[in-house]
Amino acid sequence: MKNRFAIRLSRYREFEKETQQELADALHVKLRALQTWEQGIHNCSFDTLIAICEHYHISADYLLGLTPDDSPISAKSEKDVLTLDERKALILFEEYLRSRHKKSAIH
């Protein structure tokens, strides 16, 4: 029987329309490792759990089954979900704004 982490990881990855290979590449892990996590055979390290949460912008509580089922998925409608490229662009823009703020605070 799959554990909550395995179920929620695979469900959220599919919700994000990301393949196992794409997620494995983003996390810098082997495809087989990701597959064993989604099958509930093994668990990932704490560092990898953090990387997954940062990648999807979700909480570890959700992935570990400590919050109600599907909470991040049901809270989003399809039109509210940003693609990975859009999220990366937002992160870059935020970094740009922070650097401008730091420069203006110096002067």
Side-chain angles (χ1 to χ4, degrees):
M1 183 174 145
K2 286 186 179 182
N3 59 43
R4 289 181 195 167
F5 172 77
I7 293 167
R8 290 183 178 193
L9 175 60
S10 61
R11 187 180 299 162
Y12 204 82
R13 179 188 52 75
E14 291 167 358
F15 174 76
E16 291 289 328
K17 297 178 177 60
E18 191 170 32
T19 67
Q20 286 181 328
Q21 186 64 61
E22 288 169 333
L23 180 56
D25 291 346
L27 299 173
H28 307 289
V29 299
K30 293 182 180 180
L31 174 61
R32 186 66 190 133
L34 177 64
Q35 290 170 334
T36 63
W37 304 335
E38 288 193 359
Q39 293 167 357
I41 296 170
H42 295 107
N43 290 315
C44 66
S45 69
F46 291 126
D47 289 338
T48 303
L49 175 62
I50 292 167
I52 293 167
C53 293
E54 290 174 345
H55 178 75
Y56 287 133
H57 303 282
I58 57 176
S59 73
D61 285 353
Y62 168 75
L63 280 176
L64 296 173
L66 301 174
T67 61
D69 191 33
D70 291 337
S71 58
I73 295 173
S74 61
K76 296 180 177 181
S77 68
E78 284 292 330
K79 66 180 181 177
D80 294 333
V81 178
L82 297 175
T83 66
L84 293 174
D85 288 337
E86 290 168 333
R87 283 191 295 224
K88 288 176 185 175
L90 280 175
I91 291 168
L92 290 173
F93 184 65
E94 179 183 19
E95 290 171 358
Y96 166 75
L97 290 176
R98 287 178 192 268
S99 70
R100 287 195 55 185
H101 179 72
K102 286 179 185 177
K103 288 179 184 175
S104 67
I106 293 172
H107 297 295

